[in-house]
Every structure is written in structure tokens, then in C-alpha cells.
């Protein structure tokens, strides 16, 4: 799963993925991104990669209630193709979520210990995402899969992380089997992790100190 993560600032995203300056947006670097907040998302706009803001927590286009659904920040890859919540976005509305790392919590004596998980080379990357528009509001979710490699030492689930060379294919409207594409291209063993302060557990806490190794 992915319940909190670290997001690059706007300039870093534009530089890393060679995106034209996105007017009207100002994404700072965030060290404890929490669900239901607006986050930076990459999508195709008129054939070009574009940076936009989206609510983390998908609201399907057919949603009838005034209050958004809960527990829609993550979509299980194994189930997404068959569930109404995810089926249409997986087929027609895919996106990418830039990140520097994410947090997972390991069960230990005395409670849950947060770990920061990042690429071994320290570079930013993208989660495979699904998106939807409801009442003119863009929202999104992160695809997840069974954890393998170093991440499995901490948790049994992990986000689907796509390498740069797989981004264009994931966003291609002509992609017919997105589930198979995600399974084929997901990175799993290119990560490392270390324990961090339990201050991460409080969503109101922010700042670079959250990434410091726990002592």
C-alpha cells in the first residue's frame, strides 16, 4: 500500500520529466503527503506530458453522494480490472504521480515503526496512477502490488513504480491491457529502506527532518 509519501517540488518535476512551465501551479517539496490533499500528477494533454493538480483519493465519475468515497487512495492491481471503482480509469484514464519515496510501517515490539523507502540511486520516480473527473474535480489513486525484494522486508504491499522508459506506454490511450503492462514493467528490487522518526505518523508534521534516519 501507500499511505504517505514524499513529493518533489514543481521545478524538480518539470526538470526531471522535461515539462513546460505549468502556469498557475506551485507545488512545494512535501515530506509527508497525506490522502485527500491536492498533489502533482502527470498526464497526457493534447499528446504532450503535462503537470496538473489532483485530489489523492479517487472519486469515480458516476459517484452520486455528496461526500467522496473513502479508502480510494490505493487500487490493488490484481483487482482493478474487475472492480467498478477502478475499471474505467484503468482502461481510459491513467496518470503518473511523481515521488521521491514513500513510507511504510513495520509491525515491531512496541507498535509500528515507519520506514522511508526510496530508489537506491536516490532519483525521483513515478507511481502508476489512475484518475477520474467528478464535478470538474480531478482525483487519482495509486496502483499497488504484492511487495518483493527489499520492500517485502517492511510490508506485504508496495506501489507500482514505473521506470521512465515505461511512462509513455502507460499514458498511451491505445494501451489495451493496462494491468498486464503494469505487471510487466513494475520496478520491485531497485529500492532501499531505513527507519525514520515516528513523527511521520502525525500527518500534520512536515519538513526534511522526517527523512532523517531514526536514532
Amino acid at each position: 500500500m501507500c499511505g504517505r509519501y514524499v513529493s518533489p517540488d514543481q521545478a524538480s518535476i518539470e526538470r526531471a520529466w522535461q515539462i513546460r512551465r505549468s502556469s498557475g501551479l506551485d507545488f512545494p517539496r512535501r515530506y509527508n503527503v497525506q490522502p485527500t490533499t491536492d498533489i502533482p500528477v502527470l498526464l497526457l494533454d493534447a499528446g504532450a506530458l503535462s503537470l496538473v493538480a489532483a485530489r489523492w483519493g479517487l472519486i469515480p465519475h458516476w459517484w452520486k453522494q455528496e461526500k467522496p468515497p473513502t479508502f480510494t487512495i490505493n487500487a490493488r492491481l490484481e483487482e482493478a480490472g474487475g472492480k467498478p471503482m477502478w475499471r474505467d480509469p484503468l482502461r481510459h484514464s491513467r496518470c503518473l504521480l511523481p515521488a521521491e519515496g514513500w513510507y511504510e510501517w513495520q509491525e515491531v515490539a512496541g507498535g509500528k515503526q515507519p520506514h522511508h523507502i526510496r530508489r537506491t540511486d536516490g532519483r525521483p520516480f513515478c507511481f502508476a496512477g489512475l484518475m477520474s473527473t467528478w464535478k470538474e474535480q480531478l482525483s487519482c489513486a495509486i496502483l499497488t502490488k504484492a511487495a518483493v525484494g527489499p520492500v517485502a522486508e517492511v510490508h506485504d504491499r508496495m506501489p507500482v513504480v514505473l521506470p521512465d522508459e515505461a511512462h509513455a506506454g502507460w499514458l498511451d490511450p491505445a494501451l489495451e491491457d493496462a494491468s498486464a503492462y503494469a505487471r510487466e514493467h513494475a520496478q520491485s528490487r531497485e529500492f532501499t529502506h531505513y527507519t525514520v522518526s515516528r513523527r511521520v505518523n502525525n500527518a500534520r508534521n512536515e519538513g526534511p527532518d522526517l527523512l532523517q534516519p531514526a536514532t
Side-chain angles (χ1 to χ4, degrees):
M1 62 175 295
C2 180
R4 307 273 180 78
Y5 73 96
V6 182
S7 174
D9 64 77
Q10 182 167 335
S12 297
I13 295 171
E14 292 170 344
R15 183 169 57 252
W17 288 284
Q18 299 180 352
I19 303 167
R20 62 181 182 274
R21 178 68 185 174
S22 305
S23 60
L25 298 176
D26 183 19
F27 293 113
R29 188 182 185 198
R30 295 172 63 187
Y31 300 86
N32 200 9
V33 178
Q34 58 181 303
T36 75
T37 59
D38 283 348
I39 58 173
V41 168
L42 298 174
L43 50 76
L44 275 185
D45 181 14
L49 197 61
S50 181
L51 178 64
V52 301
R55 176 190 188 271
W56 185 20
L58 189 138
I59 309 171
H61 65 85
W62 44 260
W63 191 251
K64 302 298 184 183
Q65 302 177 36
E66 286 300 316
K67 187 176 181 180
T70 55
F71 306 110
T72 60
I73 63 170
N74 295 322
R76 294 173 70 93
L77 176 60
E78 304 90 332
E79 304 171 352
K83 288 201 169 184
M85 182 69 67
W86 315 117
R87 187 170 52 220
D88 285 349
L90 184 65
R91 290 175 180 171
H92 307 298
S93 301
R94 296 177 299 275
C95 62
L96 296 163
L97 285 69
E100 294 182 19
W102 74 95
Y103 302 105
E104 291 293 2
W105 283 260
Q106 185 178 39
E107 294 283 356
V108 296
K112 292 185 177 182
Q113 173 62 54
H115 288 240
H116 179 240
I117 302 169
R118 60 175 177 83
R119 279 179 49 146
T120 53
D121 60 11
R123 292 179 54 207
F125 53 84
C126 282
F127 301 130
L130 308 178
M131 62 182 179
S132 177
T133 300
W134 177 77
K135 295 185 177 181
E136 300 184 356
Q137 180 178 26
L138 185 65
S139 61
C140 63
I142 296 172
L143 272 180
T144 68
K145 62 184 286 292
V148 297
V151 181
E153 299 168 358
V154 181
H155 200 274
D156 62 349
R157 303 289 298 177
M158 66 181 292
V160 174
V161 177
L162 295 177
D164 287 356
E165 59 269 22
H167 290 177
W170 177 251
L171 298 178
D172 187 349
L175 180 63
E176 293 185 356
D177 192 340
S179 294
Y181 189 90
R183 287 192 297 270
E184 178 183 355
H185 293 281
Q187 295 182 304
S188 298
R189 303 182 183 278
E190 299 82 359
F191 303 99
T192 186
H193 63 86
Y194 59 90
T195 59
V196 292
S197 168
R198 295 191 182 188
R199 293 186 65 248
V200 169
N201 298 355
N202 187 333
R204 291 175 294 184
N205 290 333
E206 257 287 349
D209 61 297
L210 297 182
L211 298 183
Q212 294 298 314
T215 57

